[in-house]
Amino acid sequence: MTTSPTRSAWTAVLCWLTVLLEGYDLVALGATIPTLLKTGHLGFTAAGATAVATVSLVGVAVGAAALGPLTDRFGRRIMLIGSVLLFSVFTLVLPLAPNVATFGVFRFVAGLGLGACMPVALTVMSENLPARRRASASTFTMTGYHVGAVLTSLLALAAVENWHVLFYGGGIAGLLVVPIMWWKLPESAAYLEAKQDAQKFSVRDLIGPKFRRISIAVWTGSFMGLLLVYGLNTWLPQLMRTAGYPLSTSITLLLVLNIGAVIGLVLAGTIADRFGIRPIARIWFGAGAVLLALLSLKIGNSFVLNALVLLTGVFVFSAQVLIYGYVAHAFPAQARGTALGMTSAIGRLGSILGPFVTGALVTAGVAYPWGFYFFAVVAALGLCAILLLGSGKREAAAVAPASPAQEGLQH
């Protein structure tokens, strides 16, 4: 099955932009929280900010779980366009919320759209490149998330207390992308081919004998990985403020963290395509655990602090994305959207727990250093999850009969 270079290029660009918008939107809240707490806008408190961050991620989890199977049923294209439209509209109207409760409702609905974006975009990209490049397909697409996060951080530094600009900008950008997607985004050729296959696949099959071991391992790893990503992106500025760093330094460190994430994604995908996803994911989670533990130390030298945060971004944020590449290898086309959706959805439970626990530590006044101890343990548990995955030959044998689309599983 072949795809024209032009169609492939448009697919790659639009999937990347979709994930960029998601990264921009989700990190906007983390960059806004210190200002909301400082100004007391709408009566925001640490507890209220924690509740809004949590309910936003509940929406993301619901969106990922519910819309993933629909992607395998109705197609990648319409689900991706619809999800971008939904979260763009509710991001745009967010600054108009009259109270904290409405603010939370808007974030929840936006989260429904956000939840579908990542798994659908990753599904499309995994089907747009050869199987041997599934790791880099996932990591390249996810660089968009962190580029979006970097853009949010830069805009937050420029906007200072004019936090409304972050959400107006994200909503308008999303609405501008929607018509381009409608015009240029093709349907996945792998989906169209799989649609002709009489074999049906349900969520229940993910825990059946054929896929149970893989599912449990990737779900656990995704849970731990997204807990780290969302916990750090939501609360890192406030953690650093708690540690005594100035507000400008705290927001700058969020920028540095996400620059490191982009570097890590490029490196991780390239290396994993060559040496295998599983061993590289083990190294990435292990290194992340060590670096997060080191951040619990008060560092007076700004160069050392920035270098440590940069390296943390390199390893922590790309570790979880490698799991998506593994899932793209392990499941056939007719099940790939469901598998990636469920992996993302269960991961989103971690993304809910991370900001919630960290927010609770902030509220209790013990976020530094205990927040980083907590994150280090989570990264170690992610490593344990990757160790649950069997050898490449055993996993390949487990999934090979399902579909020829899995020809590239060698990890």
Side-chain angles (χ1 to χ4, degrees):
M1 176 169 32
T2 60
T3 305
S4 72
T6 302
R7 285 167 60 92
S8 294
W10 273 110
T11 300
V13 169
L14 290 172
C15 286
W16 187 83
L17 283 174
T18 299
V19 178
L20 180 149
L21 289 169
E22 178 180 1
Y24 177 100
D25 187 271
L26 287 171
V27 176
L29 182 61
T32 301
I33 282 176
T35 301
L36 293 176
L37 295 180
K38 179 181 177 182
T39 62
H41 177 73
L42 300 179
F44 263 102
T45 62
T50 302
V52 167
T54 302
V55 77
S56 173
L57 295 172
V58 169
V60 173
V62 172
L67 300 182
L70 296 180
T71 301
D72 287 328
R73 182 173 181 182
F74 297 111
R76 322 314 194 195
R77 180 177 182 272
I78 193 65
M79 296 305 298
L80 194 57
I81 294 172
S83 64
V84 172
L85 179 62
L86 182 63
F87 84 70
S88 297
V89 169
F90 280 88
T91 295
L92 184 63
V93 301
L94 186 68
L96 305 178
N99 50 56
V100 175
T102 305
F103 195 101
V105 170
F106 285 172
R107 287 298 298 176
F108 175 81
V109 179
L112 295 176
L114 287 169
C117 284
M118 187 185 298
V120 178
L122 291 174
T123 299
V124 172
M125 278 300 294
S126 71
E127 295 171 346
N128 193 53
L129 292 176
R132 67 180 181 278
R133 295 180 59 194
R134 291 266 164 80
S136 55
S138 295
T139 56
F140 166 77
T141 306
M142 286 303 297
T143 61
Y145 176 94
H146 298 287
V147 170
V150 168
L151 291 175
T152 307
S153 301
L154 290 173
L155 187 55
L157 287 171
V160 192
E161 294 187 359
N162 296 318
W163 59 270
H164 310 77
V165 174
L166 299 180
F167 296 104
Y168 287 141
I172 291 171
L175 292 177
L176 291 175
V177 168
V178 166
I180 300 174
M181 296 178 73
W182 186 267
W183 179 35
K184 288 293 187 179
L185 182 67
E187 183 54 272
S188 163
Y191 163 76
L192 294 174
E193 182 179 287
K195 194 175 180 181
Q196 308 304 317
D197 194 330
Q199 182 181 3
K200 301 299 180 182
F201 193 93
S202 68
V203 174
R204 185 178 300 178
D205 293 323
L206 294 176
I207 55 175
K210 179 185 274 188
F211 295 108
R212 184 182 300 121
R213 181 187 180 93
I214 301 172
S215 293
I216 292 174
V218 298
W219 289 351
T220 304
S222 182
F223 180 94
M224 300 303 169
L226 280 179
L227 189 158
L228 294 173
V229 170
Y230 284 81
L232 286 169
N233 263 334
T234 302
W235 284 107
L236 181 67
Q238 193 64 25
L239 282 177
M240 290 309 191
R241 286 209 70 196
T242 304
Y245 298 104
L247 177 60
S248 59
T249 299
S250 301
I251 296 178
T252 301
L253 289 174
L254 183 62
L255 168 63
V256 171
L257 184 77
N258 282 282
I259 290 174
V262 175
I263 297 171
L265 286 166
V266 174
L267 289 176
T270 302
I271 297 171
D273 278 340
R274 181 172 181 182
F275 297 104
I277 296 175
R278 190 174 66 101
I280 301 307
R282 287 188 302 181
I283 293 172
W284 252 241
F285 270 111
V290 173
L291 290 164
L292 286 165
L294 289 175
L295 281 177
S296 66
L297 304 174
K298 184 65 183 292
I299 300 171
N301 185 294
S302 61
F303 176 81
V304 174
L305 176 62
N306 279 277
L308 185 58
V309 171
L310 182 75
L311 283 175
T312 301
V314 167
F315 287 99
V316 170
F317 284 10
S318 50
Q320 190 271 339
V321 180
L322 290 172
I323 294 173
Y324 289 141
Y326 195 97
V327 172
H329 272 296
F331 292 86
Q334 62 265 34
R336 196 167 291 134
T338 301
L340 278 167
M342 285 302 299
T343 301
S344 176
I346 292 178
R348 302 295 184 172
L349 298 178
S351 75
I352 295 168
L353 181 64
F356 179 80
V357 172
T358 314
L361 293 174
V362 169
T363 302
V366 295
Y368 192 92
W370 288 99
F372 288 112
Y373 295 156
F374 169 67
F375 288 138
V377 171
V378 168
L381 292 174
L383 171 61
C384 293
I386 301 304
L387 293 174
L388 289 175
L389 291 171
S391 67
K393 291 181 179 179
R394 182 164 57 199
E395 300 293 9
V399 300
S403 169
Q406 299 165 55
E407 61 185 1
L409 179 60
Q410 299 173 351
H411 308 292

